[in-house]
Amino acid sequence: MRIWMTSTLLMVVLYASPVLAADANDFETAHEAVKNMKIGWNLGNTLDSNSGDTLRMWLEAEKNRTVSSYETMWGQKVTRPELFKMMKEAGFNAIRVPVTWYPHMEATFKDVRGYTDPRAGWSYTPWMPSKDDIGTKIQENWMKRVHEVVDYVISQGMYCILNVHHDTGASNTAWLIADNDVYNEQRERFEAVWTQIAKEFRDYDEHLIFEGYNEMLDIKRSWCFASYGAKGGYDAAIAQSAYNAINSYAQSFVDAVRSTGGNNRYRNLVVCTYGACDGRGNWNIHLKDPLKEMKLPRDAQEGHLIFEVHSYPGVENLANVKAEVDNLISSWNTYLIAKGAPLIVGEWGTSTDNGYDRYRNNLLGFARYFVEQTKANNIATFHWMGLSDGVHRTVPEFNQPDLVEAIVKGYYGDGGISEVDAVPPGDGDAVSVFSLSGNIIYRSISPTQAVQHLRKGLYLMDGKKVMVK
């Protein structure tokens, strides 16, 4: 165990060291990076956690709150580097790290009205992003923790996508809203946030990628397409303002990052459609609008921008969802990729209630097909949050190993992540042993001991597939 931990920490130091680039030729293009990401996963409900309600800023009521208070407030444990080693050995090559910044931007909660929760005795202070200052300077201790987690990912030789997450969305704490007027009000703060993030990481190589914003919605908090939440289900003025604003935020993001110099001059950058909407369905003529209205930002560095959507189809009927996947990919090729940038599905999963239990076989079939087809179309995918959740992340282990296997086989085929090797003979260096789906079985065990204790079958030993006979 001690040997394994020392190796892990050494890798963090080696890989996390900045790598200076002489010019754009030293950086992968966006198309190359998307291809090399292979399959990805989201570190969800972790650095993106927040109170999420201006009337119940419950964590802010804690005077002794820490960085870890936020990291664990939505049911996860403090993130450890071993989690990403497990992901890498299972075949994942990219991690999206969602981060919510507003509670860590010198937020002030000035409204004098109070709300008291009798169950806890806490006094909540309502906060209105449009009125109460949230500052522009990111707190040093928060940036330090974000930096540590990014290094955990980079240390494994994986791609890391770092974003601005629940500063957008349907919550009333969202201060980034797809609206022309709000964009004009928040532009300076938005660019200041990205300038700070970009400066913090500007010497990192191509394995670090920035994503400008998550699921940004209009003033009506509309999903599916802009202004869907308006009276009558559509308002042309609200919709156009929303789409114009999305493109303005995207341009501001690119300009702010590029202005910081260093490797940020060539870094691959990701921009989402309105709401990260994927254009799924045919029940309304406006469902494809988020794809159609999305523009490729202007960029002095050609070939370093990436589009992003999120996709959560239901899986009640496997044949239907496979057809839906085909239609989605066709739309993405037509309305996004054709504009000159590759695409990632930054979040995907199933929208079916209780899908993992009730529709397990369909879900596994969908997962494999989805990954197969996106790979065939040079689209990288990032599964949302499951696979390893809660206490399982600290072991670490997969609590949905069959879903991991479906995803891995969808990308690599039935053979898995590598060719089958013979078990190395003798008592050489200690190895870590995983099941084919990635669950940890032994840490720091000699190959001879592994053969003696394991049942016959296929295993992963330090990233290599081996057969115990």
Side-chain angles (χ1 to χ4, degrees), residues 230-294:
K231 185 177 180 180
Y234 183 75
D235 183 299
I238 292 175
Q240 197 56 59
S241 177
Y243 295 128
N244 289 344
I246 283 291
N247 288 311
S248 295
Y249 281 112
Q251 190 64 59
S252 283
F253 160 61
V254 172
D255 293 343
V257 173
R258 295 286 183 246
S259 72
T260 60
N263 287 344
N264 290 332
R265 291 173 295 171
Y266 321 115
R267 191 169 310 286
N268 290 316
L269 306 177
V270 179
V271 292
C272 290
T273 60
Y274 169 87
C277 297
D278 63 357
R280 180 165 54 93
N282 55 14
W283 52 269
N284 190 293
I285 61 173
H286 297 291
L287 288 167
K288 299 290 188 296
D289 288 358
L291 309 182
K292 296 177 181 179
E293 297 289 340
M294 187 71 208

Side-chain angles (χ1 to χ4, degrees), residues 353-369:
D353 292 338
N354 300 317
Y356 192 69
D357 297 322
R358 186 177 179 185
Y359 298 103
R360 178 177 174 275
N361 290 335
N362 285 0
L363 190 152
L364 298 179
F366 155 68
R368 176 160 184 167
Y369 188 78

Side-chain angles (χ1 to χ4, degrees), residues 253-430:
F253 160 61
V254 172
D255 293 343
V257 173
R258 295 286 183 246
S259 72
T260 60
N263 287 344
N264 290 332
R265 291 173 295 171
Y266 321 115
R267 191 169 310 286
N268 290 316
L269 306 177
V270 179
V271 292
C272 290
T273 60
Y274 169 87
C277 297
D278 63 357
R280 180 165 54 93
N282 55 14
W283 52 269
N284 190 293
I285 61 173
H286 297 291
L287 288 167
K288 299 290 188 296
D289 288 358
L291 309 182
K292 296 177 181 179
E293 297 289 340
M294 187 71 208
K295 296 180 180 178
L296 185 67
R298 300 181 304 278
D299 190 6
Q301 302 301 326
E302 184 177 355
H304 289 282
L305 299 179
I306 301 168
F307 288 124
E308 178 178 337
V309 296
H310 299 168
S311 192
Y312 292 95
V315 296
E316 295 90 343
N317 184 293
L318 184 56
N320 288 349
V321 75
K322 285 184 175 181
E324 190 169 48
V325 168
D326 294 341
N327 290 332
L328 279 170
I329 292 176
S330 176
S331 294
W332 299 339
N333 278 315
T334 299
Y335 298 117
L336 288 177
I337 296 173
K339 293 175 181 176
L343 175 72
I344 64 171
V345 183
E347 297 179 17
W348 71 277
T350 172
S351 63
T352 306
D353 292 338
N354 300 317
Y356 192 69
D357 297 322
R358 186 177 179 185
Y359 298 103
R360 178 177 174 275
N361 290 335
N362 285 0
L363 190 152
L364 298 179
F366 155 68
R368 176 160 184 167
Y369 188 78
F370 185 78
V371 173
E372 286 174 342
Q373 297 308 307
T374 49
K375 178 188 178 183
N377 285 271
N378 300 312
I379 299 169
T381 57
F382 292 74
H383 191 271
W384 176 252
M385 206 190 95
L387 309 183
S388 184
D389 193 29
V391 69
H392 298 280
R393 294 186 186 178
T394 64
V395 175
E397 64 182 0
F398 290 114
N399 60 297
Q400 293 179 310
D402 49 357
L403 184 53
V404 173
E405 186 172 3
I407 293 170
V408 169
K409 288 185 175 180
Y411 188 87
Y412 296 97
D414 288 328
I417 66 173
S418 63
E419 297 298 323
V420 176
D421 296 325
V423 176
D427 290 312
D429 293 338

